[in-house]
Structure formats: C-alpha cells, structure tokens
Amino acid sequence: MFSRDRKWFLFIGIICTMMIMTSISAWQPQTAGAASTTASKVDAVLVVDVSNSMNTSDPGKIGNEAMKMFIDMLSTQNDKVGIVAYTDVVQREKALLNITSEADKQELKSFIDGLNRGAYTDTSVGVKEAIRILQDGKTAGHAPMIVMLADGNNDLNKTTGRTESQSDQDMAKAVAEAKNSGVPIYTIGLNADGKLNKNKLADIAQQTGGKSFITSSADDLPNILSEIFASNLKLKVVPLQSITANGNYQDVTVTVPNDSVLEANISIMSSKPVDVRLIDPSGNTKPIPSSDVLLSKSKSYSLMKLLKPVAGDWKLQVKGVRQDQIDINLVFNYDLELKLDAPSAKAYKKGDAVQIRSYLTSNNQQLQDQELYANMNAVLKVKDLDSGTTNEVPLKNEGDAFTGSYTIPDEHDYELTVRAEEKSFYRETQPVTISAKATAGSGTNTGTTGPAAPAEKSKLLPLILLGLGLIVLLIAAYFIWKAVKKANRGFVGQIVLEIRDENTGEKTYPQYKKLNTFRGKFNLHQLLQLAPEFAETDKVVFTPGNQDRIMVRSTPEITIEKSGRAVDTGSGLELKNGDRLTIPLASVDKTILLEFISVNS
C-alpha cells in the first residue's frame, strides 16, 4: 500500500511541477516550438438529403456516388467516417466507423446503396446530427469535417407545427457550434432541376471555414471531392493531363516528388469503362490491385490509391473507348507538420530583429529530407495586432529548414506564422505572439521604488500562499489524474449482437463489434450504428471492468435480462467472457441479444 501511494504522490508531484512551470511560462513569451494542427487522418461525417425533392434535384443519385468516392479516397489506416441520411428526421445513420480495411469501406458503400428517399425536408436536422456524431466519436489528432450533399431547400411537414423560423434557428445554432468546434462544413449543391438554394449552402460553408460547390453532373465529382479532401488536409490537387481515348493504352506520367508521400490518390473520370496499367519508376509493372496498389470502381469513376509509393516518375497507362474524354486528377497525402522555433527573447523593442527558423517534422521528428525541401518555398506572415495589417517576408530555404529575420517597425503586438508550400501540399505553423510594447518590469531592473514594507512580512505571506496553493494543486492533480485515467481506460474483446423481430421471430445475422476503439465508456446505441428506432438504447452504458471484463449500467426504464431473469444494472453489472444479455424493446417489438467475448479469456 505504501509503495502504491508513493507512486501516486510521485506522479502528483511531477504533475504539480509541470503545472507550476506552465504557470511561470505563461508569464513569459513562448519559447517552445509551435506546431501546426494539421492532421493526416480525418473524422468525417457525410450528410445527405434523401427527401423526395432529390428525385428532381439529384435524379441520378450523384450524391451517393460522391459519398462513395470520398470514402474510397480515405486512408485504410484509421480514418473515420460516419453517415447521416435525413428528410425532416434522421432516416438512417452510421456512427463514425474506424476504417482499417477495404471491407470497412465496402460496408459503408453498401449502406449508401441501401438508402431510400422519403417525404419532407429539414436541412438543420442533418447538420445537427452530424455534429453530435462527431462529438460522440471524435479522435484526438484527427481533422474533423462534415461534407453535406443537398439542394439546400426545406419542405416542412405542416402537421408537426414546425416553422421555417424554428428550422433556421436550429441551423444557426448548429453552424455556430461547428464553427466554435473547428469543424468545417463543405457543401455540394445538387442542382439537376435548377432549384438550388446556393446562398444558404454557401453561407453554411463560409461561416465554418469550408467550401461550397455546385454540380448537376457526376463528371464534376473527381474535381470537387479532390478539392474537399485536399482542402481539409492542407493539400493541393495536382491536375494531370486530360486525354481523348484512341482505343489503345495511352501513357500518363505520375510524378511522386519524395518519399514522404503516404498515399497518392489518382481519380479517373470517364463516361465509359477504362482499363489501366501501372509501371513503377524502376520499369516494373505493378499488379492492380495488390498490397500497395488499391483500385475502386463505380459507375461514374475509378480511383487508384498508391500506398507509400517510391519517389520518381510512375507511368499510368489508360485505355478507353475511342473518342471518350478521360480526366485524371492526383492528390497526395502527407504525414507532415510545420514547426516554428519561437523567438527566445523575453521582450522586444522597436528596431529589434526577430530571428526565424521553421522546419518540417514527421512523427515529431525533424525531417532532413533535402529532396522534399528542394521544391518548397516559405514566407513569414506578420500580423500587426494593433493596426490589423499583414505583411509577408520571404524566408530562405536552407535545405532542411526555412530561416530569416523580421525587424520590428513599431511598439505594437505581432502575430507570427510561417507558411511553406510546394505544388502538391502546404503547411502552416500555429501563430506565435510577441510584444514590442514598453511595459512595467521589462528591460533593466531599476530596483524598488516607494516606501519599503517590513521584509519578513512581505516574504512570509507569499510563501504561505504558495504553500497553500501547492497543497490545492496536489489534491486537484490527484483527482484530475484519476479522472483522466478513468476517462481514457480502454476496452478489450468484442460484443456479438443479434436483433430478433418479435412479430416474425426472425433474427439478424450476428454482428461482431470490436471494442478496442472505445475509451472510457460507450453506449449500446453506438454499437447499433445510432439507428433511430433503437434510440432508447443510449441509456445502456458500458465501462471497462477489471480482469478483462466490462461493466454495464442502465436506467430503470430499460429491462435487461440475464439467464432469463431481469437484473438490476443501476449500480453496474459485471460481464465476463461468454456472458449473455437480453434487452427487449417493447416500443419497436424487437429484442437485442448480446454476448461479451473477452480476447484474453
């Protein structure tokens, strides 16, 4: 017991030391490197209007094709995506799914193919639900985003009494929440019938930092989706040549600029089927598909994904139907951040030169890849926080960093940001603020002025306060540590789900839900992909237990049975390997059957 408590207090002491040092550093100019928040992984929710108005706005279901193409562009290494299909209510939805294989992508695309259309439309419903899904399943370090496909028009059900004003208010709240949470909303206006409410969709995108697009043809999808994908991850679309098919294989050069490329996404748009071959820079023909070359096809596009491609000129050979126009786009994905060494001086004055050094990192390690730097340029963006003006200063490319200096022109506060780019991507650092204003306590210490206070009293009171503060910090740090540890505790094993229809007696196929992606807690509604008919199951909550077990809790209105008997789960019921529960839902005449399987048992 003594040993464990000693470890706790050692941990708490470290936390307190860090908190004190953080507090001290908050009184001084920033001295640590400032990293950009750019992420190479995304948490995306696709929102699609499935009301009957889309029969004329999107008769060819371009929206479905767009969602499937976006899913194909995502990485197979832990990008997450959810789906909301709405009318004036949420018709169907999927919580954020962690993509780890092509099978995961196919599951999502099959879900999209199964969407049906219904009456009425309330655009705010889809946006509100998308934000909730992101909040429930977000992952630290992932770039959140919403892609909305709609015509922007409402068609409210008058029998419900809901008004256009209420819908607008809900939309305004949802957009404000997205903006405050740093979630850009990209809108794709579907406009086959010319009745698009483009101003509404453009406003949603503009307020949240997204972009707005309009289309009435699937031909536009590669450009639109490539632009959205690139914009959210601070990438650039690299247009490749358009070709007119001659019935033979035609060569298109795909240049991979360096070895820092995680993925190369090549989208091919053609109104008729195409065949493709791929030759690597060494002249070897690559099998398609293979372990490092993925190929996805739809009725309106083909998407080839090269995983960790070697640098050099790849040869894409495309064979299409004679006279068919074939458009090809390229988007690279990088796992890179740009850091800025913050100025080391504690104070500045007019005329001082601020030295700048910025560099690329991958996995928090500085890159020394001179080939990557070779085609890049960088500028220092300086915003005068008093006047509001912004200036750019070119930086020198040193081969492994960008350097330069900035001479302070006035006694103002300034915000410094570095932007580095090449033709396929760009990165920006987080801003660093410096001050050149004359303030008390800066410069030379001139000593004490005014009458002297009794020395012992003036020293003793701060020490007492510091001591009390440390005690409070120790206690707070301990409870914070316990809370953080509990909130981030992981799960093991999986839950097997079946749903029985009590009217017919039929059961669904077993669904195996792995639990290792959850932290702290999750509810049964999430495992059921947030299906609206099972909304009441959000009151069934699971938390990690000891010895590879889990705990289940629920409110009294939810009946949970084990071995044929109703059990009290209000204070928690422990599930071990092989335990089974039955949860009847009288409101929908269905019963949920679940079994917990521990991987370590």
Side-chain angles (χ1 to χ4, degrees), residues 441-447:
S442 64
T444 306
N445 185 357
T446 57

Side-chain angles (χ1 to χ4, degrees), residues 299-450:
K299 64 181 181 181
S300 58
Y301 69 86
S302 295
L303 185 85
M304 184 181 297
K305 185 185 289 287
L306 313 185
L307 306 179
K308 290 295 291 181
V310 298
D313 289 340
W314 293 66
K315 185 181 294 183
L316 178 67
Q317 297 183 323
V318 182
K319 180 180 180 181
V321 176
R322 186 180 295 275
Q323 299 304 311
D324 189 27
Q325 189 70 23
I326 301 174
D327 294 318
I328 306 171
N329 280 327
L330 173 65
V331 177
F332 293 119
N333 194 7
Y334 292 86
D335 184 17
L336 296 174
E337 293 184 356
L338 185 66
K339 290 190 175 182
L340 168 63
D341 282 344
S344 58
K346 295 181 179 180
Y348 290 93
K349 62 182 182 296
K350 179 179 178 179
D352 282 351
V354 183
Q355 300 303 315
I356 301 298
R357 183 173 182 272
S358 181
Y359 46 89
L360 292 166
T361 67
S362 179
N363 294 322
N364 294 317
Q365 298 295 316
Q366 182 176 349
L367 285 180
Q368 306 293 332
D369 187 348
Q370 294 191 359
E371 183 181 358
L372 176 60
Y373 280 91
N375 298 315
M376 299 190 70
N377 57 71
V379 295
L380 171 70
K381 298 195 295 185
V382 182
K383 182 177 182 180
D384 187 321
L385 298 179
D386 293 288
S387 68
T389 59
T390 300
N391 296 315
E392 290 190 356
V393 179
L395 298 178
K396 182 181 179 181
N397 188 334
E398 301 283 1
D400 60 356
F402 307 103
T403 62
S405 66
Y406 177 70
T407 302
I408 297 176
D410 294 295
E411 294 183 351
H412 291 176
D413 291 334
Y414 298 91
E415 183 181 87
L416 310 180
T417 308
V418 174
R419 176 186 171 108
E421 63 183 316
E422 57 111 69
K423 68 178 183 179
S424 64
F425 77 99
Y426 69 94
R427 291 292 185 268
E428 289 186 347
T429 65
Q430 285 186 346
V432 173
T433 302
I434 62 173
S435 179
K437 293 180 178 178
T439 57
S442 64
T444 306
N445 185 357
T446 57
T448 304
T449 59

Side-chain angles (χ1 to χ4, degrees), residues 251-287:
D251 291 348
V252 176
T253 300
V254 178
T255 301
V256 177
N258 53 71
D259 290 329
S260 294
V261 173
L262 284 178
E263 298 175 345
N265 292 284
I266 305 169
S267 60
I268 304 170
M269 174 57 64
S270 173
S271 61
K272 296 183 174 63
V274 297
D275 290 327
V276 291
R277 296 191 303 210
L278 186 67
I279 300 172
D280 68 20
S282 300
N284 299 316
T285 299
K286 297 287 292 185

Side-chain angles (χ1 to χ4, degrees), residues 19-294:
M19 293 173 70
I20 294 169
M21 294 303 294
T22 301
S23 300
I24 293 172
S25 66
W27 302 335
Q28 301 175 352
Q30 186 178 358
T31 58
S36 82
T37 56
T38 301
S40 61
K41 302 298 180 187
V42 300
D43 286 345
V45 179
L46 306 176
V47 181
V48 61
D49 181 350
V50 292
S51 65
N52 286 333
S53 67
M54 301 306 288
N55 290 331
T56 54
S57 298
D58 183 22
K61 295 192 175 181
I62 295 172
N64 288 10
E65 291 298 294
M67 289 191 291
K68 289 191 285 187
M69 181 174 174
F70 183 85
I71 290 167
D72 281 332
M73 293 183 71
L74 294 176
S75 170
T76 55
Q77 298 299 318
N78 299 315
D79 276 341
K80 297 172 72 176
V81 63
I83 300 170
V84 176
Y86 72 93
T87 53
D88 62 334
V89 296
V90 176
Q91 291 289 336
R92 294 189 68 190
E93 62 184 310
K94 262 191 175 294
L96 287 175
L97 175 66
N98 191 32
I99 297 176
T100 59
S101 67
E102 284 298 302
D104 291 333
K105 291 187 176 185
Q106 188 55 52
E107 176 186 336
L108 290 164
K109 290 190 285 186
S110 296
F111 178 86
I112 291 168
D113 285 334
L115 296 177
N116 295 315
R117 289 176 173 168
Y120 307 111
T121 320
D122 188 343
T123 311
S124 67
V125 168
V127 178
K128 284 170 55 181
E129 188 65 13
I131 293 170
R132 190 183 72 81
I133 287 177
L134 278 176
Q135 290 172 338
D136 286 346
K138 62 186 177 182
T139 301
H142 282 210
M145 64 188 300
I146 293 172
V147 180
M148 182 178 182
L149 304 106
D151 60 13
N153 297 306
N154 281 347
D155 178 18
L156 303 178
N157 184 353
K158 293 181 175 58
T159 63
T160 66
R162 183 166 173 81
T163 65
E164 194 72 35
S165 176
Q166 291 172 326
S167 176
D168 290 343
Q169 289 176 9
D170 284 349
M171 177 63 81
K173 290 179 182 178
V175 169
E177 188 171 359
K179 179 180 178 180
N180 294 335
S181 302
V183 179
I185 301 177
Y186 297 87
T187 61
I188 301 177
L190 304 171
N191 194 36
D193 59 359
K195 297 180 180 180
L196 179 72
N197 191 340
K198 63 180 181 180
N199 292 334
K200 180 177 182 178
L201 296 178
D203 183 60
I204 292 170
Q206 188 274 328
Q207 287 192 58
T208 59
K211 293 184 178 182
S212 185
F213 304 87
I214 299 173
T215 183
S216 58
S217 168
D219 294 346
D220 299 327
L221 291 185
N223 287 335
I224 291 174
L225 271 298
S226 296
E227 181 66 27
I228 290 174
F229 187 80
S231 177
N232 203 58
L233 293 176
K234 292 183 169 58
L235 307 170
K236 293 183 178 181
V237 179
V238 182
L240 298 178
Q241 67 194 74
S242 295
I243 60 176
T244 301
N246 60 15
N248 300 313
Y249 283 102
Q250 296 167 265
D251 291 348
V252 176
T253 300
V254 178
T255 301
V256 177
N258 53 71
D259 290 329
S260 294
V261 173
L262 284 178
E263 298 175 345
N265 292 284
I266 305 169
S267 60
I268 304 170
M269 174 57 64
S270 173
S271 61
K272 296 183 174 63
V274 297
D275 290 327
V276 291
R277 296 191 303 210
L278 186 67
I279 300 172
D280 68 20
S282 300
N284 299 316
T285 299
K286 297 287 292 185
I288 305 174
S290 60
S291 60
D292 52 0
V293 180
L294 308 179

